[in-house]
Amino acid sequence: MKKLFLSLALLLFFTASAWAGPTYQGAGFVSYETGTVVYSAGNFTALGSMIWTVDAGDVTTYAYNIVYKTMTVYISLNNTSISGTPAASLIIKIPNGKLSANTLSMPIFLYNNSIYQTGIADIVTGSNNISIYNAGLTNWTASTNTTIVRGSLTFEIQ
């Protein structure tokens, strides 16, 4: 009986695996995609006249996975700088030209001018931006190489 059960389980597993391969395409999206975003300073901006400087060497991780219409973005930005007129939001482009399908907020780890805190990553329906707010939704602090943003964000894409 155990052999019959194991045989049926293996048959179901391999049959399902053949249907769920990473190359299936339908309804305008790929079932699985992964990538590391090529560095561009334009992927990292700020609200108003605040300037967020993220150099290529500051980007430890800026990558993504897409499974059907769910995207996970992985971010680790170290030793970045903030100048200009402090404002409330840092902005990161959603990779690969994708747009959010929903409005949502998620926690994200921050180091704002030598202070560790949990901030908020905010995404708005139809947007290609992830807005990063520090704890208390106050303005960021001007700093040189002392701002860190790290986290993984999962959301539905259009």
Side-chain angles (χ1 to χ4, degrees), residues 36-64 73-83 89-96 108 110 128-132 140 147-151 153:
T36 299
V37 182
V38 176
Y39 173 79
S40 170
N43 287 330
F44 311 100
T45 59
L47 187 65
S49 58
M50 182 168 66
I51 300 166
W52 185 26
T53 304
V54 179
D55 297 322
D58 299 341
V59 181
T60 304
T61 306
Y62 183 29
Y64 67 93
V73 178
Y74 305 95
I75 302 164
S76 181
L77 308 172
N78 300 297
N79 304 319
T80 70
S81 300
I82 295 174
S83 59
S89 175
L90 303 176
I91 300 168
I92 301 171
K93 288 281 184 213
I94 293 175
N96 209 22
I108 193 163
L110 306 173
N128 65 342
N129 292 325
I130 302 166
S131 297
I132 308 295
W140 285 85
T147 300
I148 296 171
V149 176
R150 291 185 187 150
L153 314 167

Side-chain angles (χ1 to χ4, degrees), residues 65-128:
N65 286 333
I66 299 172
V67 178
Y68 294 101
K69 295 187 87 172
T70 301
M71 176 180 249
T72 301
V73 178
Y74 305 95
I75 302 164
S76 181
L77 308 172
N78 300 297
N79 304 319
T80 70
S81 300
I82 295 174
S83 59
T85 304
S89 175
L90 303 176
I91 300 168
I92 301 171
K93 288 281 184 213
I94 293 175
N96 209 22
K98 301 298 182 188
L99 302 175
S100 173
N102 299 306
T103 296
L104 63 141
S105 299
M106 295 163 275
I108 193 163
F109 171 80
L110 306 173
Y111 188 74
N112 181 13
N113 198 23
S114 303
I115 300 171
Y116 288 103
Q117 54 188 269
T118 301
I120 299 167
D122 194 50
I123 302 172
V124 177
T125 301
S127 175
N128 65 342

